[in-house]
Amino acid sequence: MTDTVLQKIVAATGNETVDKAQEIVTEITQAKVIKALLLVLAAYLILFFIDKVINWLSEQVPLLFRLKVKQSLPFWRAFCLSFFGFLICNLFLDLSPNNVLAVTGTVAVALGFAFKDYVSSVIAGIIGLFENPYQVGDRVKIKEYYGEIISYGIRGIRLQTPDDNIVSIPHNQIWTEAISNANKGAVEAQTVAEFYFAHNIDVEAVMKILYRVAQTSKYTQLKLPILVIMDEKPWGTHFKLKSYPIDARDEFIYQTDLVKRAKQAFAKQDFSYPVLPPQPIDPSGLPTSESLPR
């Protein structure tokens, strides 16, 4: 694998460029190796300290500033890694301007061949810091994964799903995948609760109950709009209650609260629910997918 990469580098850049790349490597001594190991250890400890302090501080500040504090974490991580990376390189390389310019093309070709996907993710992560398709604390959906971004690294992000699973996703997904962002740096994220009734339902009564349920929930951010919309289906009437929790992390607790309290209110009314036509059964004993309502 290494020999193949070297052959491609030589073919692309020529022997002279490779020789220049070798010239910038200084003498490797035991003292330099020990210093490099100490710098790696220091970088690891400082990164660990930064993660702990930023996450602790984000939970201590007012809710309005929680995400602002968390979103500074990628900057401090990148700064720390760049600083210690430069110190380590300076131990083993003669980083004069002429040498850096001479070897830049060679390094670029080597990285392109050997670490194409990794470099693509790193570049996407740097671009992501400026374009902000997502940040720490955002609730996003990438492919089939949905959850809160709890870490923004150089190569990728870590997503915590509602099932409390941690999913690692490389940054280069932003080149090809659609990214759905529920709160885009805000503390609140819209929550949707859905309800179904028969066609002869008292629409005004249902909408009044749903508005009241959202307005009286202890989780609702009353500064943001509460909206009830409806849609007619062949088998019944579909209602959606759209509102915002005070804290996006309470999304599913909030949705459960809305549904529970709405059903308690509906139970006191003489509301009729949709009656589906008889559904064909497949040999396994389950309804077929074509027979299920849409």
Side-chain angles (χ1 to χ4, degrees):
M1 173 68 182
T2 304
D3 293 339
T4 303
V5 172
L6 289 175
Q7 290 172 3
K8 291 181 178 179
I9 294 173
V10 172
T13 62
N15 291 325
E16 292 184 4
T17 306
V18 175
D19 291 339
K20 289 180 181 179
Q22 293 174 345
E23 289 176 3
I24 75 167
V25 179
T26 61
E27 182 182 359
I28 299 176
T29 64
Q30 184 179 5
K32 288 183 178 180
V33 172
I34 293 174
K35 286 182 180 179
L37 292 175
L38 290 175
L39 286 172
V40 171
L41 178 61
Y44 175 81
L45 292 175
I46 291 175
L47 285 173
F48 179 81
F49 176 77
I50 289 174
D51 284 350
K52 292 295 184 182
V53 169
I54 294 295
N55 285 316
W56 174 83
L57 185 61
S58 68
E59 300 299 332
Q60 306 305 314
V61 299
L63 182 62
L64 181 63
F65 302 107
R66 189 189 75 213
L67 293 185
K68 298 297 182 183
V69 174
K70 279 193 173 184
Q71 288 159 7
S72 69
L73 184 58
F75 168 79
W76 292 114
R77 289 177 60 89
F79 176 81
C80 180
L81 289 172
S82 300
F83 177 74
F84 280 96
F86 173 79
L87 292 180
I88 293 173
C89 289
N90 200 41
L91 286 175
F92 302 105
L93 304 176
D94 179 13
L95 297 178
S96 65
N98 290 336
N99 284 337
V100 171
L101 289 175
V103 81
T104 298
T106 302
V107 173
V109 173
L111 291 176
F113 281 121
F115 304 104
K116 179 181 66 174
D117 292 336
Y118 186 88
V119 172
S120 175
S121 293
V122 171
I123 293 174
I126 295 172
I127 292 176
L129 288 174
F130 296 96
E131 291 191 353
N132 283 336
Y134 44 64
Q135 305 173 73
V136 175
D138 284 356
R139 305 185 71 82
V140 301
K141 183 176 182 181
I142 303 175
K143 290 187 174 180
E144 69 271 25
Y145 301 109
Y146 173 77
E148 178 183 354
I149 297 177
I150 60 174
S151 175
Y152 190 115
I154 291 180
R155 188 195 68 87
I157 60 173
R158 288 196 300 162
L159 202 67
Q160 185 173 26
T161 69
D163 296 327
D164 206 27
N165 295 324
I166 304 298
V167 181
S168 296
I169 301 175
H171 290 303
N172 62 8
Q173 294 296 309
I174 68 175
W175 304 136
T176 57
E177 297 295 330
I179 299 173
S180 175
N181 194 322
N183 57 323
K184 198 65 175 68
V187 178
E188 308 90 356
Q190 187 181 83
T191 296
V192 179
E194 302 184 61
F195 304 89
Y196 306 90
F197 295 97
H199 288 298
N200 61 350
I201 192 70
D202 185 341
V203 172
E204 293 297 331
V206 172
M207 296 182 72
K208 183 177 179 180
I209 289 174
L210 292 178
Y211 272 114
R212 185 62 180 166
V213 164
Q215 288 171 344
T216 56
S217 174
K218 64 180 180 180
Y219 298 102
T220 301
Q221 174 55 271
L222 296 175
K223 295 180 181 179
L224 295 175
I226 298 172
L227 183 65
V228 177
I229 61 175
M230 57 178 290
D231 183 26
E232 281 294 295
K233 303 290 185 181
W235 42 267
T237 303
H238 180 200
F239 291 84
K240 290 184 179 181
L241 172 59
K242 298 184 175 184
S243 52
Y244 295 80
I246 297 173
D247 189 342
R249 290 190 297 190
D250 295 330
E251 174 185 1
F252 296 102
I253 298 175
Y254 179 49
Q255 187 180 60
T256 300
D257 179 69
L258 292 177
V259 173
K260 181 186 73 173
R261 295 169 61 248
K263 287 182 71 68
Q264 289 173 347
F266 294 147
K268 300 175 182 179
Q269 309 294 326
D270 187 21
F271 290 160
S272 54
Y273 291 89
V275 177
L276 299 179
Q279 302 174 357
I281 304 297
D282 66 14
S284 66
L286 298 174
T288 62
S289 58
E290 292 80 5
S291 66
L292 297 178
R294 290 179 171 81

